[in-house]
Amino acid sequence: MKIETKCMHEGYTPKNGEPRVVPIVQSTTYSFDSTEHIAGLFDMPTEYMYSRFANPTVDAVEKKIAALEGGVGAMCTSSGQAASLISILNICNAGDSFISAATIYGGTVNLFAVTLKRFGIECIFVDADASEEELQKAVKPNTRAVFGETLANPAIKVLDIEKLARFAHKNNMPLIIDNTFPTPILCRPIEFGADIVIHSTTKYMDGHAVQGGGVIVDGGKFDWANGKYPEFTEPDESYHGVSYTKEFGNMAYIIKARMQLMRDFGCYPAANSAFLLNLGLETLHVRMKRHCENAEKVCAYLETHEKVQSVNYPTAKGNANAELAKKYLPDGCSGVITFNIKGGKANAIKFMDSLKLATNCVHVADIRTCVLHPASATHRQLTDEQLVAAGIDSGMIRLSVGLENVDDIIADIEQAFAAV
């Protein structure tokens, strides 16, 4: 099936007489006719046993997202941050380190630089535009993964996925890519060498701001038995001595994440949340096209406005990421634009507070246009040095272009500029 068809049909196929739409299985528990049957599930988790691990409604969505990204399996989480956390903890232990692009979401910077540090895991931030030779200098003997965002939030920088994949694989490490902004409609990182893909499903996958969630997709191609990751090959004493690579082959990563970390952290989404997410996924291919079309027109308008200092969108004139965008995002660069208004923070606040159609809110990638001031909101906890590394200054506005008529969006922006 083509990806547009997968959005609607993957993950769930009703049998004769069954519901056409994915049913909401609102149950935490499942009944079995013997103790032996349940015991067997803890040896080989091939059925539903408890909704902290798996649920039929969520499972259908996981299968759909895995198919969209081209992975062998997926696991939904209760938030995008939970997906980021588990993607790293499934690989790194206390005393380990991993490498991350500096231009990533502010909440993830805090998770990596502060919270994981408390767990004894070091995040080494790098300039993702650096050469492979420069990146190599960041690698330590205990470095075990590489992380980046396809489209950085809010810097809107395009990541050179193939370069990072070569660098990671040269060092026998997996590449983890946060693909939230492009979604698999615009980019599928596994096709460019990524090993693990994560999303905040709260954003475009949902698209309607009705559920918070995340997902981890396992590409199924990384060799966890290369000698660097004994936790995948040696017996897991917390799970009756199973060897994930021996028992589960190329699904070792995602099974370990579910049976070890989801078991302990319990950050699994509710069935109703998955049902709502699935509704969003069914129209994802239609919505992403319109988001991109509207953003292109808004970008062109902003580029010519006298009160705009600069516009950051991959297809904007003179954008440094134009060639990377052609390679990785040929069908569009999502609906998120950042721009710097002349006059700095004071004018940025005045502009945003003067908008009438667009909503000033802590959200992005919604069907409705919304704005945010990153330096004082999502990236407020970052130091001045971290803000610079993330490509943020006090006059930057993050504009998430929605699905309204683009003339109405531009008219709203125009009247807000008039108030500045």
Side-chain angles (χ1 to χ4, degrees):
M1 292 186 289
K2 302 295 184 182
I3 196 163
E4 296 87 351
T5 310
K6 289 180 179 180
C7 283
M8 294 181 282
H9 291 278
E10 281 284 8
Y12 173 71
T13 304
K15 297 183 179 66
N16 185 46
E18 290 186 340
R20 180 66 190 89
V21 176
V22 178
I24 301 173
V25 180
Q26 196 69 46
S27 179
T28 61
T29 51
Y30 308 87
S31 297
F32 300 95
D33 54 12
S34 72
T35 303
E36 184 179 5
H37 191 157
I38 295 176
L41 293 178
F42 281 87
D43 286 331
M44 188 63 71
T46 55
E47 298 176 54
Y48 308 110
M49 53 180 158
Y50 192 61
S51 283
R52 179 155 46 89
F53 300 95
N55 169 280
T57 309
V58 185
D59 180 61
V61 176
E62 290 169 341
K63 286 182 169 65
K64 177 175 286 187
I65 295 174
L68 293 175
E69 283 287 8
V72 296
M75 182 180 75
C76 284
T77 61
S78 56
S79 69
Q81 284 294 83
S84 296
L85 175 66
I86 289 179
S87 74
I88 296 297
L89 290 185
N90 204 32
I91 302 170
C92 294
N93 304 299
D96 290 335
S97 67
F98 68 100
I99 290 170
S100 173
T103 47
I104 58 173
Y105 169 58
T108 310
V109 171
N110 198 71
L111 169 66
F112 288 175
V114 179
T115 302
L116 284 182
K117 186 177 180 180
R118 294 175 183 153
F119 284 81
I121 298 171
E122 178 191 11
C123 179
I124 304 165
F125 289 102
V126 299
D127 178 358
D129 290 335
S131 66
E132 292 179 51
E133 291 72 25
E134 284 297 311
L135 292 173
Q136 190 62 41
K137 296 176 183 178
V139 179
K140 298 181 179 181
N142 66 354
T143 306
R144 294 164 64 88
V146 181
F147 184 97
E149 294 177 356
T150 311
L151 264 175
N153 175 15
I156 319 299
K157 288 177 67 69
V158 182
L159 193 72
D160 191 343
I161 300 171
E162 285 189 337
K163 181 184 76 174
L164 280 194
R166 283 194 306 270
F167 161 66
H169 297 159
K170 175 184 175 182
N171 291 278
N172 293 319
M173 297 187 295
L175 174 61
I176 305 170
I177 294 293
D178 183 332
N179 198 38
T180 296
F181 276 6
T183 79
I185 301 302
L186 303 179
C187 181
R188 290 174 291 282
I190 292 170
E191 296 177 2
F192 295 102
D195 302 290
I196 299 144
V197 175
I198 67 170
H199 290 265
S200 169
T201 63
T202 317
K203 310 304 189 298
Y204 283 123
M205 282 189 166
D206 167 348
H208 301 77
V210 293
Q211 65 84 45
V215 70
I216 304 171
V217 181
D218 184 354
K221 297 178 181 179
F222 188 76
D223 180 15
W224 298 105
N226 65 16
K228 194 169 184 174
Y229 303 91
E231 60 269 40
F232 285 88
T233 57
E234 310 232 341
D236 178 1
E237 297 307 323
S238 77
Y239 196 66
H240 58 74
V242 69
S243 164
Y244 293 100
T245 51
K246 291 178 182 177
E247 291 291 337
F248 305 110
N250 71 339
M251 293 187 70
Y253 176 88
I254 204 68
I255 295 293
K256 178 177 177 293
R258 189 182 299 274
M259 303 314 298
Q260 191 182 79
L261 296 175
M262 188 59 75
R263 172 198 65 195
D264 291 346
F265 291 155
C267 47
Y268 203 64
N272 192 64
S273 295
F275 176 82
L276 294 171
L277 171 57
N278 187 61
L279 292 179
L281 289 170
E282 290 179 337
T283 61
L284 182 62
H285 57 293
V286 180
R287 290 186 288 105
M288 291 310 295
K289 181 179 179 181
R290 178 65 174 268
H291 277 297
C292 294
E293 290 173 351
N294 279 0
E296 292 274 359
K297 293 174 182 176
V298 171
C299 175
Y301 166 80
L302 291 171
E303 284 183 295
T304 61
H305 203 284
E306 60 181 10
K307 293 182 181 179
V308 174
Q309 180 176 308
S310 61
V311 180
N312 193 14
Y313 190 69
T315 60
K317 293 176 183 176
N319 190 280
N321 293 153
E323 290 303 313
L324 287 176
K326 289 178 183 177
K327 178 177 180 178
Y328 295 112
L329 300 160
D331 297 322
C333 300
S334 88
V336 183
I337 300 170
T338 58
F339 67 96
N340 286 31
I341 192 169
K342 292 178 181 178
K345 182 178 179 178
N347 280 356
I349 299 301
K350 179 66 175 174
F351 168 83
M352 293 168 63
D353 288 350
S354 299
L355 291 164
K356 297 178 180 178
L357 179 69
T359 305
N360 197 335
C361 64
V362 187
H363 192 47
V364 69
D366 187 359
I367 59 170
R368 292 161 287 266
T369 297
C370 53
V371 292
L372 187 92
H373 186 245
S376 61
T378 54
H379 291 65
R380 189 179 185 88
Q381 284 73 34
L382 272 61
T383 64
D384 290 342
E385 292 77 13
Q386 286 175 322
L387 285 171
V388 171
I392 299 167
D393 74 15
S394 63
M396 176 187 279
I397 295 167
R398 186 182 71 184
L399 174 64
S400 180
V401 181
L403 302 186
E404 301 95 344
N405 185 292
V406 72
D407 293 339
D408 291 331
I409 298 172
I410 291 174
D412 188 36
I413 294 171
E414 193 167 343
Q415 65 83 27
F417 275 132
V420 175

